[in-house]
Amino acid sequence: MKTCLIILFTSLLLTACQTSVHQPTNESVDDGSPLYLKKVYYDGQSDDLLTAGLSLAQLRAATGPEISENPTATELRRSAYYHQFKALNDLTDAGGFGRIYGFNENTKAIAGTEYWQQRSVADNAYHTIVVQIPESFDAETPCLLVAPSSGSRHVLGSVATTGTWGLMNNCAVVYTDKGTGTQMAIDGEQVYAIDGTLVDAEDPLAEATRLPQVNGPQVIQKQPFSGVHPEQYWGEFVLDATRYGLVVLTSEVDDELNKDNVTVMAASISNGGGAVLSAAEIDKDGLIDAVVAAEPQLNMDYRYQLKKNGHSQSIDTLSLIELGTLLGVYEPCAALHPSLNNAPFKANTALIQPWLMQRCLVLQTSGLLPAGDTDLPAAAMDKLLQAGITTEALAMAQINTLSHMWAGIGHTYVNSYLQTKPEDQLCGVVFSGMTQMGQARALTEKEIKTMFAKGNGIAPSNGVEVAGINADGEPDKRLMMHPNFGFAAQQCLYNKARSQEMASAIKAIQVDGDLDQTPTIILHGTADGTVAINHASRAYFTKNQSARNANKNLRFYEIENVQHFDAFLAYPGFNAQFVPMHPYLEQALDMMWAYLKNQQPLPPSQYVSTQVRLMKDTELAPLSAENIPPISAQPTDLIEANHDVLEYLNHE
């Protein structure tokens, strides 16, 4: 290991190793440029790699670790771990975490070293990489888990999902933010560093992407306004992180380590899952040995037939932004349908019911719903079902509507794809700080300084919400408070997503479904209301298996009663209607590891029937193993695909 400085952080005693720092590079990893910008050793006592020194009880706590007025990198990292675990998991004992899956209070802290770097794969297309090497890493049987962040999160966005599995199985872990993250434009001379602290722009740790400045309360974040359409590089970012992780292992652990003797698994969830599949498709150097992707966000141009429950449906896939803007237009009206009255968060939408009916009426007067139709929520729901949104996924309509999620996604992705400037204020939608009464405001100094700890790179998050603008071009109030539940803005985003100028941006992010023979597991929940299963995993599996060079090592496991966000299961309503994805992700990683190391066959593609939790006396029974039966080695409910047809066998 290289010579290092011993630094005493004020918040905790921590042994830290740090080199002199340099500006990021887009050149090859081994060209003589600095190996890392920052290096820190965690002793497994006061801090560690697995939980940043937090116990399971502390991760479960209602409030996170304290952060000082001028937070250090250590404080931000620890708080970020807390918020990532809370945002991506149901950590409750009743939900099964620490009891039937995950880790528990007896799990040992994991000592090791962390390396931070910043690189680019194209002009101005920068991403942050963090490599973690646990002390338990075994150079005799070396493994590397590559874990791109889900959503728009920063580089530590997968510490609570696949990164956890990697560390607990003695693998080194390499993270990448995929060119997104929580950086935002701020007034003054300072900018964000890659570790979330505020530094001078000349500081070597400064985030390399320079965001345009805008006066007023408008929030300028990295993904929509980096000006490079980073999603087109997500696969390349994953491969670049993989190469970098291997070089760190070679330089810091054993110079005999390389891609030929280190087992590399790429695994993540949501659009991190899409990123690892994209990386596997373009991996011409054989860097990645296996892929595990849960609920992957995928963009495809494909038509196939879905045969299930005796019915057949033709699916023409749409991209996330096409689906998201479609849902943004119709889902607020569909949320009024009586079949969704028992959906989670229905009671929370009581005050906005009149606004939702206004949305229904303007859809009709605009010609987007039939003029003579008297049941407008049913007509809106039919639009979504005809587009290939599943009935199960519409159970998430209430919370999607209440959070204005599709407007947040629309603003982020449409601006990113079209490479607009903040002053364009596309479709009259911006991000802004917000008062409790829904009026736009500037972010507080505390919110700005804790964005790395508490933000997620999109809205809503850490004070940032979706706002509309007034006649003067200033953010004025929540978008939903604008006429007809913000219809004009949502319709504009819908039209932009289908415009000629958008076509090339969407084409640049489409996947082919060609994985060669890379061992791959894809998991998806039937009730996913964020990443539409018909347009993502089902389509991808079918296209691959229908091709002449079908991947014989690809498996698709569809899990009943699973929606997109496990964290929701900590709340009433969700916990009674859904089960978690995380235990199945852990099982899939275990199965893939057994396949790579012991040639243990992967179970056939299958539909996994689960059981929701039932009431016991007057309380909901805790999650048990019976609620989440394992993926079976000898299933009866098989899923097969060929000739552009996806079929569910023995399924009722």
Side-chain angles (χ1 to χ4, degrees):
M1 303 290 266
K2 296 186 177 180
T3 304
C4 54
L5 301 174
I6 304 300
I7 301 175
L8 183 66
F9 286 88
T10 57
S11 57
L12 354 137
L13 289 175
L14 173 66
T15 306
C17 305
Q18 191 167 1
T19 67
S20 59
V21 292
H22 300 266
Q23 293 295 342
T25 177
N26 62 356
E27 299 178 3
S28 63
V29 180
D30 56 357
D31 65 354
S33 59
L35 180 61
Y36 46 80
L37 297 178
K38 177 180 176 180
K39 173 181 175 181
V40 185
Y41 172 75
Y42 300 101
D43 60 12
Q45 301 296 320
S46 57
D47 206 336
D48 80 323
L49 299 178
L50 182 65
T51 66
L54 297 171
S55 66
L56 181 55
Q58 289 172 316
L59 289 171
R60 286 172 169 167
T63 57
E66 291 187 8
I67 300 179
S68 63
E69 184 176 343
N70 292 301
T72 64
T74 303
E75 291 174 315
L76 292 172
R77 176 181 177 273
R78 175 165 287 184
S79 182
Y81 264 74
Y82 169 85
H83 288 283
Q84 297 304 324
F85 270 96
K86 296 282 278 195
L88 297 171
N89 296 284
D90 172 13
L91 297 178
T92 64
D93 179 79
F97 195 97
R99 185 165 47 82
I100 54 179
Y101 69 94
F103 56 83
N104 58 40
E105 287 287 8
N106 296 320
T107 302
K108 292 183 179 180
I110 297 178
T113 306
E114 195 170 81
Y115 304 82
W116 293 66
Q117 182 57 288
Q118 185 174 200
R119 294 177 52 78
S120 67
V121 298
D123 288 345
N124 299 311
Y126 291 96
H127 68 134
T128 299
I129 310 175
V130 169
V131 177
Q132 295 181 333
I133 304 178
E135 285 190 346
S136 58
F137 180 83
D138 184 359
E140 297 300 316
T141 57
C143 54
L144 177 67
L145 193 286
V146 186
S149 294
S150 61
S152 304
R153 300 176 184 278
H154 56 56
V155 68
L156 299 181
S158 286
V159 294
T161 54
T162 54
T164 300
W165 183 93
L167 291 171
M168 293 180 67
N169 283 273
N170 305 319
C171 297
V173 178
V174 56
Y175 301 104
T176 167
D177 60 11
K178 319 182 315 298
T180 60
T182 54
Q183 294 88 1
M184 48 175 270
I186 52 179
D187 293 332
E189 299 298 320
Q190 290 193 307
V191 298
Y192 286 99
I194 59 175
D195 60 8
T197 56
L198 295 183
V199 296
D200 294 334
E202 295 76 23
D203 191 298
L205 284 175
E207 162 66 31
T209 302
R210 292 293 180 262
L211 297 172
Q213 297 289 326
V214 171
N215 295 324
Q218 183 175 349
V219 172
I220 313 305
Q221 293 186 310
K222 182 177 178 180
Q223 185 174 348
F225 296 118
S226 66
V228 296
H229 183 11
E231 188 172 346
Q232 66 183 311
Y233 303 117
W234 281 357
E236 294 181 48
F237 285 137
V238 172
L239 291 182
D240 187 57
T242 305
R243 293 188 185 95
Y244 178 71
L246 289 169
V247 168
V248 171
L249 287 176
T250 301
S251 301
E252 299 287 287
V253 179
D254 187 332
D255 60 12
E256 296 296 319
L257 296 176
N258 56 60
K259 70 180 181 66
D260 297 322
N261 55 31
V262 177
T263 300
V264 177
M265 289 175 56
S268 189
I269 67 172
S270 194
N271 63 29
V276 295
L277 288 168
S278 178
E281 287 193 358
I282 63 174
D283 179 18
K284 306 307 179 187
D285 297 325
L287 295 172
I288 297 173
D289 295 307
V291 170
V292 175
E295 54 205 23
Q297 177 210 318
L298 299 165
N299 300 283
M300 303 181 67
D301 181 11
Y302 182 52
R303 170 180 285 186
Y304 69 102
Q305 288 293 123
L306 173 64
K307 292 185 176 181
K308 187 179 182 184
N309 298 331
H311 300 285
S312 180
Q313 182 180 8
S314 180
I315 304 292
D316 290 288
T317 59
L318 297 172
S319 65
L320 171 72
I321 197 58
E322 291 170 304
L323 283 167
T325 53
L326 176 77
L327 284 154
V329 168
Y330 287 102
E331 196 171 44
C333 178
L336 293 173
H337 195 274
S339 67
L340 301 179
N341 283 347
N342 293 322
F345 266 54
K346 174 65 176 181
N348 301 72
T349 65
L351 295 178
I352 63 171
Q353 299 292 299
W355 295 352
L356 302 186
M357 182 50 69
Q358 288 175 9
R359 171 61 67 86
C360 288
L361 293 173
V362 76
L363 287 174
Q364 189 173 54
T365 59
S366 300
L368 298 179
L369 290 178
D373 207 317
T374 57
D375 191 346
L376 298 180
M381 180 175 283
D382 284 344
K383 286 281 189 181
L384 300 177
L385 294 174
Q386 290 168 14
I389 304 298
T390 63
T391 301
E392 302 98 314
L394 287 172
M396 305 307 293
Q398 311 295 354
I399 192 167
N400 290 349
T401 296
L402 190 65
S403 67
H404 234 33
M405 179 181 77
W406 297 118
I409 288 176
H411 168 78
T412 299
Y413 285 80
V414 170
N415 280 289
S416 176
Y417 292 176
L418 298 182
Q419 300 178 47
T420 63
K421 293 180 171 54
E423 57 266 29
D424 295 337
Q425 296 184 324
L426 197 67
C427 295
V429 183
V430 296
F431 285 171
S432 172
M434 200 68 62
T435 68
Q436 289 186 340
M437 299 304 293
Q439 300 301 309
R441 61 167 176 82
L443 292 177
T444 66
E445 185 175 353
K446 182 177 181 180
E447 288 166 338
I448 291 170
K449 289 182 177 180
T450 60
M451 198 57 67
F452 185 87
K454 300 179 180 181
N456 61 21
I458 199 168
S461 172
N462 197 32
V464 180
E465 294 193 39
V466 186
I469 59 174
N470 58 27
D472 297 323
E474 289 292 325
D476 60 352
K477 55 190 174 184
R478 289 191 179 106
L479 184 63
M480 69 172 63
M481 297 168 66
H482 281 245
N484 305 310
F485 204 68
F487 171 70
Q490 294 279 36
Q491 185 182 36
C492 174
L493 291 170
Y494 176 93
N495 292 334
K496 287 290 184 183
R498 288 153 181 81
S499 64
Q500 187 61 41
E501 59 183 336
M502 182 66 77
S504 61
I506 291 177
K507 186 173 180 59
I509 59 174
Q510 288 175 341
V511 291
D512 297 325
D514 183 1
L515 290 164
D516 197 9
Q517 297 301 312
T518 302
T520 301
I521 292 175
I522 297 175
L523 308 105
H524 214 122
T526 60
D528 194 328
T530 301
V531 176
I533 189 171
N534 281 340
H535 296 265
S537 297
R538 285 175 176 171
Y540 194 90
F541 177 72
T542 306
K543 186 173 184 180
N544 179 278
Q545 296 299 287
S546 298
R548 180 175 298 178
N549 60 334
N551 184 349
K552 298 177 181 178
N553 302 311
L554 171 61
R555 299 292 185 272
F556 174 40
Y557 305 128
E558 190 169 308
I559 317 298
E560 184 184 25
N561 298 317
V562 166
Q563 51 81 49
H564 197 74
F565 299 102
D566 274 12
F568 288 167
L569 304 188
Y571 299 101
F574 292 98
N575 54 13
Q577 295 188 31
F578 304 107
V579 298
M581 172 63 83
H582 196 85
Y584 290 103
L585 176 60
E586 289 184 345
Q587 186 187 358
L589 288 162
D590 288 341
M591 291 190 309
M592 185 59 79
W593 185 249
Y595 173 82
L596 293 174
K597 288 302 178 185
N598 303 317
Q599 292 74 54
Q600 184 173 321
L602 295 172
S605 298
Q606 61 190 270
Y607 183 97
V608 181
S609 297
T610 64
Q611 299 180 29
V612 297
R613 294 158 60 183
L614 300 175
M615 295 298 294
K616 185 177 181 180
D617 297 327
T618 59
E619 295 184 353
L620 192 68
L623 190 79
S624 70
E626 287 71 29
N627 297 117
I628 49 172
I631 298 164
S632 175
Q634 296 179 317
T636 57
D637 205 344
L638 296 169
I639 301 176
E640 293 185 357
N642 54 67
H643 303 298
D644 302 316
V645 176
L646 180 66
E647 190 166 6
Y648 291 71
L649 306 180
N650 306 317
H651 183 76
E652 297 180 0

